Amino acid sequence: MQVIRAVGREAAAKKYDLLSAMMAHGLAGDKHRQRLILRLMALITTRYNWQRDELTIGQREIARLWCVDERTVKREMAKLRTLGWIEIKQHGARGRVSVLSLNLERILLDTRGEWPNIGPDFVERVGGKPSEPSSNVVPLHRPEPVPAQGLWAEARARLAEEDPALFDAWFAGLIEAELTESCLTLFAPTRFHANYVQTHLLERLHTAVLRCNGRIARVRIIGP
């Protein structure tokens, strides 16, 4: 999967590719997904700074654009943060609006299942080669999958569906060590394994966990 960077000669085409992927993803879902995607696309096309990866707009302005109240804005933006599609780049202070950013790789990953609906040319153009650093690095001793229950079992299922090869190499061997109201601690079979997941794959791991339980604010990886 290619990383979209809306700069250079092909910037306009890359923007359209991202919006096309989001559109196809929305149309393939129910009315709630369609509405959420449409609202995000409205923010992107009206207020998103592609070059700086910044979305700066207040809740009142969003409510006016979406024709809803501010409570609906809070709820919908929370959904987008849980999905991992938008992130807080800079917290607002002293009445200033927070600066948000888009996780373009996460959006492309989540919409990949609907790319064929656009056409094989789109799949070939946007698909490219995997951009995960883990595609070139595998554990020295690949651990056997360890059975799991509860939250971690649900998150594991999501990760396995997203990328089976990545799951087998890095996530399958993680064991739940501790679960509190806001933190999930996972144990890796080796220190190298723990460090690699912590450095390169923690965002994807946390997104999967967050989608299963929105109260989990942190995921820790520990090793022997």
Side-chain angles (χ1 to χ4, degrees):
M1 183 176 64
Q2 296 181 354
V3 180
I4 287 184
R5 295 287 183 266
V7 295
R9 296 178 58 185
E10 299 180 355
K14 292 177 180 179
K15 295 176 184 178
Y16 277 114
D17 283 343
L18 179 69
L19 294 173
S20 296
M22 293 174 62
M23 174 193 64
H25 182 68
L27 291 174
D30 58 21
K31 63 180 182 180
H32 302 292
R33 184 203 289 181
Q34 293 175 4
R35 186 167 53 201
L36 182 64
I37 299 301
L38 177 61
R39 286 171 172 169
L40 178 57
M41 291 177 68
L43 291 179
I44 292 174
T45 56
T46 59
R47 288 293 183 267
Y48 181 58
N49 186 318
W50 291 91
Q51 291 188 338
R52 299 177 61 179
D53 181 26
E54 290 183 354
L55 176 63
T56 307
I57 182 172
Q59 288 186 357
R60 183 177 302 175
E61 289 72 25
I62 296 176
R64 184 172 60 246
L65 175 64
W66 289 355
C67 300
V68 298
D69 55 36
E70 292 188 40
R71 291 177 58 187
T72 300
V73 171
K74 291 181 180 179
R75 184 171 60 250
E76 295 289 84
M77 295 299 282
K79 290 179 183 178
L80 292 169
R81 289 194 299 271
T82 299
L83 286 173
W85 286 26
I86 64 172
E87 301 170 342
I88 298 178
K89 187 173 184 179
Q90 181 180 340
H91 286 276
R94 298 181 180 179
R96 294 183 179 179
V97 175
S98 295
V99 179
L100 306 175
S101 66
L102 296 181
N103 188 333
L104 302 183
E105 292 185 49
R106 182 76 243 181
I107 293 174
L108 288 176
L109 180 65
D110 286 344
T111 60
R112 186 166 53 184
E114 288 74 42
W115 293 358
N117 296 348
I118 302 175
D121 57 325
F122 183 88
V123 175
E124 181 178 358
R125 181 173 69 254
V126 180
K129 296 182 179 180
S131 61
E132 291 291 344
S134 55
S135 61
N136 297 321
V137 181
V138 297
L140 296 178
H141 302 286
R142 180 172 297 178
E144 293 296 327
V146 180
Q149 296 180 344
L151 172 62
W152 178 226
E154 187 177 350
R156 278 166 50 98
R158 288 180 177 272
L159 292 165
E161 183 179 358
E162 285 182 357
D163 193 326
L166 190 69
F167 173 81
D168 290 341
W170 296 104
F171 298 129
L174 299 178
I175 303 172
E176 181 179 324
E178 183 182 17
L179 176 62
T180 66
E181 290 186 359
S182 61
C183 180
L184 172 64
T185 302
L186 300 173
F187 183 84
T190 67
R191 182 172 298 181
F192 168 78
H193 195 128
N195 290 339
Y196 191 87
V197 173
Q198 184 78 32
T199 302
H200 298 287
L201 302 172
L202 189 61
E203 180 180 321
R204 176 174 288 198
L205 180 58
H206 185 218
T207 297
V209 172
L210 197 61
R211 292 182 178 185
C212 301
N213 186 333
R215 296 189 301 271
I216 303 299
R218 183 185 178 200
V219 176
R220 291 197 311 142
I221 310 296
I222 60 176

